[in-house]
Amino acid sequence: MGCMNSKVPRQEMSVALAGIARSGKSTLSKQLRLIHLENPFSADELKNIKDIMKYNVFSGLSSLIRQISESEGLEFVQETENRSFAKEYATLTWEQFQEKLEELVPSIKTLWSDKGVRRYIAEFSIEDIERESQLEYVMTRIDDIADNSFIPNPVDCVRARQRTAGFSSIEFNTDYTNPPIHWKLFDLGGQRTERRKWQQILKGCKAVIFCVALDEFDRVSDEDDKLTFLDEAIKAFEDVASFLTEYDNSASLFLFLNKIDLFKMKLTKFKRTFKDEYNGGKDFDSAIKFITDKFLSRVDFEVKVKLTCAINKAQVSEVFRNVMEKIIVARLDKAGLVSLKNGIIRTNDRTEISTTEKSVQLID
């Protein structure tokens, strides 16, 4: 951490993570816990994450069996004993699953490795199942999840899937400045009923990071069957931008185009394209530009755009470091404490600092 300067009071920055449901806000928030906090999760939180992973197995495998049954028939499962187990598993309640998990594990693993099941996963899209349960990941952890002494590791904490209700917050210090800055990050619930509450949080924030799940560009919204998730995200983004303009136009706005890994797969493996006018084919850069333009056309002030993969800790750390630096410089610039020109910060004592440097010296 940087040395504290007694002449300069501690700087505080509040930032909101906004976006519609399943945009990856909570995953980003958990990564920031792991990056900036010495003890990122309490014992109770780790126990809850274990229960979430257990439910991810239960719900994900149930959905997979149902999808195979409805689309191809359970005869698609190659081995007779696996078909029998699939039928039995489909009748389990959550309570029964929890009670029997340890004895179910061998049969679950055998079903998961069935050649018919593997072929189905390879040939057909199970993106809805993955989106809700992270099934591919939690199945690699099934033995540990069934162990009563299991404690989730950092990757488990990030990959466990649960929707955010209301909002949560984390606080941490960073040494990008001298003295360090105290950050408060709000993770806002993304359902429409939750979005009505955003304004009370946004009023006190110096910046808003709006997250978008790129891979859901063609999916119909859960909350309005006349809109895609992309349409829904654009509308929510426009509402946030309008509020910032009306209430406090000094707040910085960032657009995080998230889940680039899944988006690339969708463009190639499943040959998905946009319903709107688009002639970029399967080219990733063309598709990103198309989506970016859709968002930026709704605002008349600067928005900084970042491509992110929330499950990639190193990339999240690098992106947030850059974002936090931009927030700091923007606030100092607006306060007249520094001037910013061509990527160079000039402080009142005539010191020049490149914005790509690792630290910024606050002045009194």
Side-chain angles (χ1 to χ4, degrees):
M1 304 293 284
C3 298
M4 292 293 288
N5 182 341
S6 60
K7 294 182 179 180
V8 185
R10 184 178 76 166
Q11 302 291 314
E12 296 189 357
M13 298 282 185
S14 294
V15 179
L17 272 177
I20 68 172
R22 294 203 291 264
S23 59
K25 304 181 304 298
S26 296
T27 303
L28 288 166
S29 178
K30 287 186 284 187
Q31 289 283 28
L32 289 174
R33 282 190 181 205
L34 292 167
I35 293 165
H36 292 289
L37 299 181
E38 185 175 346
N39 298 301
F41 299 99
S42 68
D44 286 343
E45 286 174 320
L46 289 173
K47 181 181 181 302
N48 185 51
I49 288 168
K50 177 183 176 179
D51 290 339
I52 291 170
M53 293 180 72
K54 193 179 293 186
Y55 187 77
N56 289 162
V57 173
F58 168 70
S59 62
L61 197 55
S62 296
S63 297
L64 177 61
I65 291 170
R66 182 168 58 253
Q67 184 171 314
I68 293 174
S69 178
E70 292 175 354
S71 63
E72 304 297 320
L74 282 180
E75 292 72 22
F76 201 87
V77 179
Q78 187 165 312
E79 301 296 331
T80 302
E81 62 267 29
N82 291 337
R83 286 198 297 273
S84 298
F85 176 70
K87 292 176 183 177
E88 175 191 340
Y89 186 93
T91 67
L92 289 175
T93 65
W94 168 231
E95 290 73 21
Q96 291 170 330
F97 175 84
Q98 294 179 87
E99 292 172 5
K100 299 180 178 180
L101 179 55
E102 191 172 353
E103 63 183 81
L104 289 172
V105 166
S107 296
I108 288 175
K109 291 168 69 176
T110 302
L111 174 62
W112 183 248
S113 62
D114 183 276
K115 290 181 179 178
V117 173
R118 302 317 304 167
R119 182 160 65 92
Y120 184 90
I121 291 173
E123 294 179 2
F124 297 89
S125 170
I126 64 164
E127 59 182 304
D128 288 345
I129 297 171
E130 277 296 300
R131 186 179 293 108
E132 292 295 333
S133 69
Q134 294 284 301
L135 183 59
E136 292 268 15
Y137 177 76
V138 292
M139 281 302 301
T140 68
R141 304 286 284 148
I142 185 66
D143 289 315
D144 292 312
I145 291 170
D147 185 345
N148 288 330
S149 63
F150 167 61
I151 298 175
N153 64 33
V155 177
D156 296 330
C157 295
V158 169
R159 298 296 292 268
R161 176 73 182 98
Q162 185 181 44
R163 288 192 178 189
T164 301
F167 70 87
S168 61
S169 65
I170 60 170
E171 298 185 42
F172 54 87
N173 295 328
T174 56
D175 58 0
Y176 309 154
T177 60
N178 181 18
I181 284 184
H182 182 78
W183 297 86
K184 188 165 187 178
L185 187 78
F186 296 94
D187 175 11
L188 309 181
Q191 288 79 23
R192 283 187 178 181
T193 53
E194 300 292 343
R195 299 205 295 267
R196 299 190 189 108
K197 309 169 189 174
W198 283 4
Q199 290 188 4
Q200 60 185 339
I201 300 295
L202 297 181
K203 286 179 181 179
C205 290
K206 305 302 183 186
V208 179
I209 297 170
F210 191 93
C211 301
V212 178
L214 285 172
D215 63 313
E216 301 205 345
F217 66 87
D218 63 339
R219 292 190 68 245
V220 176
S221 168
D222 291 339
E223 301 184 279
D224 188 338
D225 59 11
K226 295 181 177 63
L227 300 175
T228 64
F229 271 87
L230 182 60
D231 296 330
E232 183 88 9
I234 291 171
K235 184 177 183 301
F237 174 78
E238 187 174 16
D239 289 343
V240 168
S242 295
F243 176 77
L244 293 180
T245 300
E246 294 170 8
Y247 182 79
D248 178 9
N249 60 14
S250 68
S252 301
L253 179 59
F254 296 83
L255 177 64
F256 276 23
L257 300 181
N258 192 30
K259 304 188 181 182
I260 56 174
D261 53 334
L262 298 178
F263 181 63
K264 287 179 180 177
M265 181 183 71
K266 213 166 189 180
L267 284 178
T268 55
K269 182 177 179 180
F270 299 118
K271 310 299 182 186
R272 305 285 178 81
T273 56
F274 303 95
K275 296 177 181 178
D276 303 318
E277 304 80 12
Y278 172 73
N279 55 13
K282 311 300 177 186
D283 181 69
F284 176 77
D285 291 336
S286 297
I288 290 295
K289 184 179 185 307
F290 179 75
I291 292 176
T292 301
D293 289 346
K294 276 182 164 291
F295 281 90
L296 298 189
S297 66
R298 305 302 180 98
V299 298
D300 57 4
F301 58 88
E302 182 185 14
V303 176
K304 300 171 183 67
V305 183
K306 301 288 182 181
L307 300 183
T308 58
C309 175
I311 62 173
N312 185 329
K313 182 181 177 181
Q315 196 239 22
V316 169
S317 180
E318 180 181 354
V319 168
F320 265 91
R321 175 68 174 257
N322 181 261
V323 165
M324 289 172 180
E325 181 184 80
K326 290 182 183 300
I327 294 171
I328 293 167
V329 173
R331 299 306 298 179
L332 294 175
D333 186 30
K334 291 180 186 299
L337 296 177
V338 300
S339 59
L340 179 62
K341 185 176 181 181
N342 297 327
I344 300 294
I345 306 168
R346 183 183 293 276
T347 68
N348 288 353
D349 63 1
R350 300 176 182 265
T351 300
E352 290 189 352
I353 308 169
S354 168
T355 57
T356 59
E357 289 296 324
K358 291 186 177 181
S359 65
V360 176
Q361 178 73 43
L362 297 184
I363 59 175
D364 52 22

